[in-house]
């Protein structure tokens, strides 16, 4: 996993900035962001859960045929903690979250070419109890994703906006050039989607 998935420099920045928006939070970074801690945390008490990491689609790792999120791998892999949180493992979590943020590449991808839309990670988080999911349709840039997620959540919370409206406003800011000329292109802002209620 460490060879295939390189460190994302803006992930920690993104999660730290998000945590400051909320009075109550639990932040798992680096070595703490592992399967054992995720599976042993009472996730039902959190309204918003955010993963800022790599994701893989079905077949992108020989070790699994499922879509997955990359977590910090252990020194020695085992059945409970192998460094990836697969769709089936996500389905077994107990969530009550109003929003799960999947700040990673291709998180809205289908389970496989024969399955219906939003059947992979998105479906597994719904099965676990999430109400809404912010996901991506294709590979996304680490720096851009941090800006997109932070600005969208900040607008939603501070301006009391519906999440879809906050995401739309942030996309309009990208299109208008607020974050730089190059980021006007849809490849930087078009991948983000909210699925749910």
């Amino acid at each position: 996993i460490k060879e295939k998935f390189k460190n994302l420099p803006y992930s920690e920045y993104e999660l730290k900035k998000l945590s400051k928006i909320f009075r109550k939070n639990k932040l798992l970074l680096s070595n703490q962001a592992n399967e054992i801690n995720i599976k042993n945390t009472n996730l039902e008490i959190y309204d918003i859960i955010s993963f800022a990491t790599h994701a893989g689609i079905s077949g992108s790792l020989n070790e699994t045929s499922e879509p997955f999120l990359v977590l910090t791998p252990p020194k020695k892999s085992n059945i409970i903690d192998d460094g990836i949180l697969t769709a089936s493992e996500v389905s077994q979590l107990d969530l009550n979250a109003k929003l799960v943020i999947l700040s990673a590449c291709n998180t809205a991808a289908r389970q496989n070419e024969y399955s219906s839309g939003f059947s992979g990670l998105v479906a597994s988080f719904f099965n676990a109890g999430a109400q809404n999911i912010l996901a991506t349709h294709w590979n996304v840039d680490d720096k851009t994703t941090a800006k997109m997620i932070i600005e969208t959540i900040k607008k939603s919370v501070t301006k009391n906006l519906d999440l879809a409206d906050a995401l739309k406003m942030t996309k309009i800011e990208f299109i208008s050039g607020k974050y730089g000329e190059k980021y006007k292109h849809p490849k930087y802002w078009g991948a983000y989607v909210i699925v749910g209620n």
Side-chain angles (χ1 to χ4, degrees):
I1 290 172
K2 286 182 178 178
E3 290 173 13
K4 184 158 185 163
F5 299 101
K6 301 299 179 202
N7 189 35
L8 296 168
Y10 285 92
S11 292
E12 183 173 337
Y13 169 79
E14 176 183 333
L15 292 172
K16 283 181 174 178
K17 284 284 195 183
L18 282 179
S19 72
K20 289 179 182 174
I21 297 171
F22 304 100
R23 282 177 299 212
K24 289 185 177 180
N25 60 65
K26 181 173 183 171
L27 196 55
L28 299 176
L29 301 171
S30 301
N31 290 333
Q32 293 180 328
N34 61 55
E35 273 188 275
I36 299 293
N37 284 342
I38 297 293
K39 292 173 180 176
N40 290 332
T41 297
N42 180 10
L43 297 172
E44 285 183 288
I45 65 171
Y46 297 100
D47 287 336
I48 298 175
I49 299 170
S50 183
F51 292 90
T53 185
H54 288 286
I57 58 172
S58 299
S60 59
L61 266 184
N62 291 336
E63 292 79 4
T64 182
S65 60
E66 299 180 66
F68 58 87
L69 292 172
V70 176
L71 299 174
T72 302
K75 288 184 175 152
K76 187 170 182 182
S77 183
N78 58 63
I79 294 172
I80 297 169
D81 185 6
D82 59 3
I84 59 171
L85 190 65
T86 63
S88 59
E89 289 173 318
V90 169
S91 293
Q92 294 171 28
L93 299 174
D94 289 319
L95 306 180
N96 193 27
K98 293 176 184 167
L99 175 65
V100 172
I101 302 167
L102 300 179
S103 182
C105 297
N106 291 311
T107 52
R110 296 181 298 172
Q111 177 81 17
N112 58 55
E113 64 184 296
Y114 306 107
S115 58
S116 59
F118 302 121
S119 64
L121 282 171
V122 168
S124 65
F125 276 99
F126 281 136
N127 290 339
Q131 296 172 28
N132 297 283
I133 297 161
L134 199 159
T136 59
H137 278 298
W138 56 75
N139 288 345
V140 288
D141 174 70
D142 182 35
K143 182 178 180 182
T144 309
T145 300
K147 182 60 79 177
M148 178 66 75
I149 301 300
I150 293 163
E151 290 301 320
T152 298
I153 298 304
K154 195 188 312 179
K155 285 176 183 64
S156 183
V157 171
T158 60
K159 297 181 179 182
N160 199 25
L161 289 173
D162 177 82
L163 192 60
D165 290 335
L167 179 61
K168 179 181 174 184
M169 283 178 69
T170 305
K171 286 183 176 186
I172 290 169
E173 289 175 350
F174 270 86
I175 295 165
S176 71
K178 180 176 180 178
Y179 305 112
E181 268 313 295
K182 100 174 189 180
Y183 297 110
K184 288 181 173 184
H185 194 282
K187 76 178 181 178
Y188 291 105
W189 53 263
Y192 306 88
V193 61
I194 296 163
V195 187
N197 301 339

